[in-house]
Amino acid sequence: MTTSVRGDQLARLLGRWHALPGRRRSPDYAALAAAVRGLLSDGRLALGVRLPAERELAEALAVSRTTVSAAYRNLRETGHLTSRRGAGSWTTLPHGHRVATSGLWTPDDDLDMIDLGVAASAAPVELVPAARAAADDLPRYLGSAGYHPTGLPELRAAVAEAYSVRGVPTSAEQILITSGTQQALDLVLRLSVPVGAPVLVETPTYPNALAALAARRARISTHGLDIEAGWDGEMLLGALRQTRPRMTYVIPEFHNPTGHLMPASLRERLVATAHATGTELIVDESFVDLPLDGAQMPPPVAVFDRHSRVTSIGGMSKAYWGGLRIGWVRASAPVVQRLAAIRVGVDMASPVLEQLVAVHLLRNSAEIVAARRAQLRFRRDALVAELRDRLPEWRFITPAGGVTLWAELDGPISSALSRAAEDVGVRLAPGPRFGLDGTLERFLRLPFTLPADDLVEAVRRIASVRHDLDHAPGPSWRTPAVIA
């Protein structure tokens, strides 16, 4: 069944679509077509969605039907719209594009692309020796069926020990091993969030968390983070008391994408307020291993939990390697068993060999993580220096940890800049991907996981197209990458 979007819904997504700041005004039909391509580019409009009829969209946008007709014709010419008489028009993909590992629909000939759309590092050198050692361990498990819905006992024990070292006494029975942090979140949502339940999330936030909540058809409300100060404690706790959500999802350690670190005092108050409002807390600790400036880390949110309100999720994607699909859930033992029962209906269990690799990597975690922190610190500093030199109008704080920098641009141009940057070989994740309903056009997430030379070159290219947005003699429309 084809998904449809109404005229008023598409109008809300399009927002201010007429022209770019400081640029010579283009014809309305061309600007409208480009704006629709922009929605496809940053993932707010999926493939295969039936667009509203021309008359309906014209009424919603308060423009002539001729303008909408010309825009649809332009989209058909560029391969972004397919129409059939009597059936309508739906979004499609231009010929010669493919799905990249980042989830983006991209041209096949993008070998020179600097991909800043993905906030993940390459594998550490210790991965291959760990894989060889894991292969040597594998015969111990070959006599069984190989299904371990809660995870291998030795990996669960290793993860539990890491929590205990951080000040949260944890047994192996409180750990569920998953196929990545995203699956950990998905399983917890399946257990804790009925269809249509109210939830509270930060904004901006992790885009795939929003996608998982949308799949549950949750009623999402948001709490905004300030680019400099981070969380406003009174507003966050006030939102909890007013909306009394079924679940709240937070990223307290080097928040994705802003890089903020939640103070201990707010963590304690957050747990107490969640208990008072009957709210379950999902705490995403994906970046907890990555403080970059030697700051004292606050205690985990779970330290303050006295009523089983906190479920912690984490994994090995950020400090180790995204290709190692190992994540986990820390919760009470009964909750872990319920999650395992749900998990059997999803993928049975995580691969045994990958879990054994994870065990060996965790045994050497001190050396591996220390090297990763040094690498990220150097790359972050290179990115910051280049941004200050070439784009001094942009506002940001230097994150004290994690892998991303959240920049406030000099205008609401994030999607337009992302489209233009792709023309010069830089893939970006525009601000609206991290929020709801097309907001955050003044912001851009910039990860510092690539080599420093690539980051410097990327900023140079971004600065050149930012200049062109203001000084180009006329609009130049392109075929964008589409986020599916």
Side-chain angles (χ1 to χ4, degrees):
M1 181 177 178
T2 302
T3 303
S4 299
V5 59
R6 300 193 310 269
D8 60 331
Q9 293 173 325
L10 184 55
R12 187 170 66 252
L13 287 173
L14 288 166
R16 297 172 57 187
W17 56 271
H18 287 86
L20 293 172
R23 200 171 183 181
R24 193 175 73 184
R25 187 180 181 86
S26 60
D28 278 353
Y29 80 88
L32 177 57
V36 172
R37 286 193 292 267
L39 294 179
L40 291 168
S41 177
D42 64 32
R44 285 177 281 154
L45 190 61
L47 296 177
V49 171
R50 180 179 287 117
L51 297 188
E54 294 174 359
R55 186 184 303 277
E56 179 187 354
L57 183 57
E59 292 176 354
L61 296 175
V63 298
S64 70
R65 183 176 176 180
T66 302
T67 296
V68 177
S69 297
Y72 278 17
R73 182 171 61 253
N74 184 297
L75 290 167
R76 285 192 292 270
E77 290 171 353
T78 60
H80 293 86
L81 198 67
T82 297
S83 301
R84 189 166 64 245
R85 187 177 299 276
S89 301
W90 57 95
T91 54
T92 55
L93 187 69
H95 177 69
H97 284 58
R98 62 177 175 80
V99 181
T101 56
S102 62
L104 301 172
W105 293 91
T106 62
D108 286 330
D109 55 350
D110 61 352
L111 298 179
D112 191 41
M113 185 69 67
I114 301 175
D115 192 350
L116 297 183
V118 177
S121 301
V125 295
E126 293 86 353
L127 182 64
V128 172
R132 289 173 176 153
D136 291 338
D137 290 343
L138 189 59
R140 291 192 285 119
Y141 293 90
L142 297 182
S144 68
Y147 298 132
H148 302 270
T150 56
L152 295 185
E154 55 194 295
L155 180 54
R156 297 173 74 194
V159 174
E161 174 62 20
Y163 275 103
S164 298
V165 169
R166 292 173 57 209
V168 189
T170 303
S171 66
E173 288 71 27
Q174 292 177 265
I175 300 298
L176 173 78
I177 302 301
T178 62
S179 297
T181 310
Q182 186 67 24
Q183 188 190 55
L185 175 61
D186 180 73
L187 292 173
V188 174
L189 293 181
R190 288 171 185 250
L191 178 65
S192 303
V193 181
V195 172
V199 300
L200 177 67
V201 301
E202 301 145 330
T203 183
T205 192
Y206 179 47
N208 288 338
L210 293 175
L213 289 168
R216 298 298 300 164
R217 289 184 282 171
R219 292 186 287 115
I220 304 174
S221 57
T222 60
H223 162 69
L225 269 67
D226 182 78
I227 188 171
E228 293 183 348
W231 297 267
D232 183 313
E234 295 307 318
M235 291 187 67
L236 172 58
L237 303 182
L240 267 174
R241 297 186 189 103
Q242 291 172 27
T243 61
R244 304 183 76 87
R246 179 67 176 263
M247 185 276 294
T248 294
Y249 170 78
V250 294
I251 311 173
E253 281 90 18
F254 310 117
H255 176 267
N256 182 11
T258 69
H260 286 298
L261 182 64
M262 183 182 287
S265 58
L266 181 54
R267 296 170 185 237
E268 184 174 12
R269 296 167 65 201
L270 177 62
V271 174
T273 305
H275 174 60
T277 58
T279 300
E280 304 294 328
L281 287 178
I282 299 181
V283 179
D284 188 335
E285 300 181 317
S286 296
F287 303 93
V288 70
D289 292 324
L290 297 176
L292 302 182
D293 295 327
Q296 181 68 31
M297 290 292 290
V301 175
V303 163
F304 305 105
D305 186 25
R306 301 292 183 270
H307 306 281
S308 297
R309 288 290 179 191
V310 175
T311 298
S312 303
I313 62 175
M316 304 187 70
S317 295
K318 303 306 179 184
Y320 297 86
W321 186 44
L324 185 66
R325 303 309 302 149
I326 295 294
W328 50 76
V329 179
R330 181 202 178 273
S332 66
V335 168
V336 165
Q337 290 303 313
R338 293 168 65 191
L339 288 169
I342 295 173
R343 196 261 179 86
V344 168
V346 177
D347 69 345
M348 299 295 289
S350 296
V352 171
L353 186 57
E354 288 197 24
Q355 293 185 72
L356 292 173
V357 172
V359 169
H360 285 279
L361 289 174
L362 289 175
R363 288 174 182 167
N364 296 312
S365 61
E367 295 82 4
I368 295 172
V369 173
R372 180 69 80 196
R373 289 173 182 167
Q375 178 189 70
L376 289 170
R377 188 183 307 115
F378 177 77
R379 294 174 177 182
R380 177 203 62 184
D381 293 347
L383 174 63
V384 166
E386 196 68 14
L387 285 172
R388 287 176 174 162
D389 180 48
R390 294 189 178 271
L391 292 162
E393 305 86 1
W394 290 12
R395 189 166 70 99
F396 59 87
I397 64 163
T398 301
V403 301
T404 62
L405 179 149
W406 185 241
E408 182 177 2
L409 313 182
D410 53 330
I413 57 169
S414 184
S415 293
L417 181 64
S418 298
R419 295 194 298 271
E422 194 127 354
D423 280 332
V424 294
V426 179
R427 181 171 299 126
L428 299 172
R433 289 196 66 199
F434 302 87
L436 297 172
D437 296 329
T439 58
L440 304 174
E441 274 288 4
R442 293 185 65 91
F443 296 91
L444 184 69
R445 187 190 76 170
L446 295 169
F448 40 89
T449 51
L450 294 179
D453 289 347
D454 287 347
L455 295 174
V456 169
E457 175 63 17
V459 174
R460 185 193 67 78
R461 297 182 191 182
I462 293 168
S464 70
V465 296
R466 175 64 191 98
H467 180 270
D468 289 344
L469 287 182
D470 286 340
H471 296 87
S476 177
W477 309 112
R478 59 174 297 279
T479 300
V482 181
I483 300 166

